Amino acid sequence: MEDACNPFLPFLSERSYNRIYGRSSVMRKKLTIIGVLSALIIASYLIWLDASVWSLHRYHIQSHVVQSAQLPETFENVRIVFISDLHAYAKGYAGNLDKILRTVNRQAPDILIFGGDLVDEKASILTEDQINELSNFLKLIDAPLGKFAVLGLDDLPQADLVRQIYQLSDFELLENQVLDIYNTTGNPIRLAGLTPYLEGQTDLKFLGKDTGSFTLLISALPDIVSRLTEQDADLILSGSTHGGQVNLPWIGPMYKVGDMLHISGKFKIGDRTLIVSNGLATSEFDYRLFADPNLLSIRLIP
């Protein structure tokens, strides 16, 4: 036996071979399992870190071109920037106003639209410093053809305060209203703003029918598209969905508001175009996974 186990012998007995290399095989399996588990732990940690920290400030620009024969020639290459869902000062609020401001102004918007949920319904009443910070942020956005906004569901509990902030920021808040926007001379486009739609409580007659003009509708909730019949709305911009906020394979979005039929991106619905933003922040839980925050940059082509 000693001779068989002697490492200087050119050959090992079968029993010694199995004992030595059997142990080596078990060790390799253990190391493989440890390696796989370590990789899974590291990957899980990186995914958690991305979802809870990195992605919250990774503001993407989602660019679109909208072409319509109803657009006046004077609106060729006019750029609309749409932002929404800031949910300012909610618990766990992680908004980076300076970075958002730089990102928006780099797009050089002609028209700036805020699509609702400036504040969060669970946030405390804003302090004077917070009001000043928000109004200064919004005021520093440059848009020569105007800055406009609608209320979101989370704005409603503090609607008067939100109205005050928009007034301080040179925004025009549209509450079930339509106005004309001109670019120097020529024909205008119609801009309509809808207060969050409540079944049976919102009259959509203010939109009009077959006006012949290009109508841009701002609605915090994209659900409105299924309730439009003959109302005039060529382009609808919405937010509120947060892109699902956390999207899991085979499970889908973890954050849900409304019917969630149109979660994120551009949709063609009959003659209408709907574009839904992921928004800028989070609500209910402070994570984003496969649904980074974004803003919309839309170029108009007659």
Side-chain angles (χ1 to χ4, degrees):
M1 179 62 67
E2 290 180 0
D3 290 343
C5 295
N6 191 326
F8 298 102
L9 291 178
F11 301 102
L12 297 173
S13 70
E14 182 177 351
R15 182 178 177 184
S16 298
Y17 180 90
N18 290 338
R19 184 170 61 186
I20 294 171
Y21 287 94
R23 288 176 180 173
S24 177
S25 177
V26 170
M27 182 60 69
R28 282 199 301 271
K29 288 179 181 178
K30 287 182 178 179
L31 290 174
T32 299
I33 292 171
I34 291 171
V36 170
L37 289 176
S38 298
L40 287 174
I41 291 170
I42 292 170
S44 298
Y45 174 72
L46 290 175
I47 290 172
W48 173 83
L49 196 61
D50 183 74
S52 62
V53 180
W54 297 333
S55 68
L56 301 185
H57 301 128
R58 195 163 53 221
Y59 304 114
H60 290 280
I61 298 165
Q62 192 179 97
S63 298
H64 299 278
V65 173
V66 172
Q67 189 167 11
S68 172
Q70 290 184 297
L71 280 165
E73 292 296 326
T74 52
F75 279 81
E76 184 169 7
N77 290 321
V78 163
R79 186 172 300 278
I80 299 169
V81 170
F82 178 91
I83 59 178
S84 67
D85 304 288
L86 186 62
H87 293 280
Y89 310 116
K91 182 180 179 181
Y93 170 66
N96 188 329
L97 296 183
D98 289 338
K99 185 173 182 180
I100 294 170
L101 179 63
R102 291 194 302 271
T103 304
V104 170
N105 281 338
R106 273 200 298 267
Q107 292 302 299
D110 298 294
I111 298 170
L112 189 284
I113 295 172
F114 199 105
D117 290 346
L118 177 66
V119 298
D120 193 271
E121 66 174 351
K122 296 183 179 68
S124 303
I125 299 298
L126 301 188
T127 66
E128 186 175 347
D129 287 343
Q130 290 171 336
I131 292 171
N132 289 335
E133 183 181 36
L134 271 182
S135 58
N136 288 337
F137 155 68
L138 293 170
K139 196 165 189 173
L140 288 171
I141 297 174
D142 185 30
L145 296 186
K147 299 186 289 188
F148 308 92
V150 296
L151 295 175
L153 286 174
D154 279 22
D155 294 322
L156 296 181
Q158 298 192 58
D160 288 341
L161 195 54
V162 172
R163 291 185 184 102
Q164 177 189 343
I165 292 170
Y166 283 131
Q167 188 174 17
L168 291 170
S169 311
D170 302 325
F171 269 70
E172 187 156 359
L173 181 64
L174 301 177
E175 299 185 74
N176 298 331
Q177 297 169 263
V178 181
L179 55 79
D180 291 336
I181 299 179
Y182 292 85
N183 186 16
T184 61
T185 59
N187 295 325
I189 63 172
R190 301 171 74 239
L191 179 63
L194 179 67
T195 299
Y197 183 90
L198 299 175
E199 189 71 46
Q201 296 183 30
T202 301
D203 190 344
L204 299 176
K205 290 180 181 178
F206 76 94
L207 288 172
K209 300 178 183 179
D210 299 323
T211 62
S213 299
F214 182 87
T215 300
L216 166 56
L217 172 62
I218 317 166
S219 172
L221 296 169
D223 301 7
I224 189 63
V225 72
S226 63
R227 298 181 173 97
L228 294 171
T229 53
E230 298 178 353
Q231 292 84 4
D232 203 359
D234 302 291
L235 172 63
I236 303 133
L237 302 181
S238 296
S240 295
T241 65
H242 300 185
Q245 201 164 300
V246 171
N247 292 297
L248 300 177
W250 304 292
I251 296 176
M254 301 299 292
Y255 177 83
K256 297 183 180 181
V257 57
D259 59 26
M260 296 297 281
L261 293 177
H262 306 95
I263 297 175
S264 178
K266 186 177 181 180
F267 306 89
K268 193 70 177 175
I269 304 165
D271 294 331
R272 312 183 200 276
T273 299
L274 168 67
I275 308 179
V276 184
S277 169
N278 287 359
L280 296 170
T282 60
S283 185
E284 295 188 10
F285 48 91
D286 302 315
Y287 298 93
R288 278 187 179 269
L289 185 63
F290 306 125
D292 282 357
N294 69 19
L295 56 88
L296 305 178
S297 181
I298 300 161
R299 186 163 61 95
L300 301 180
I301 301 291

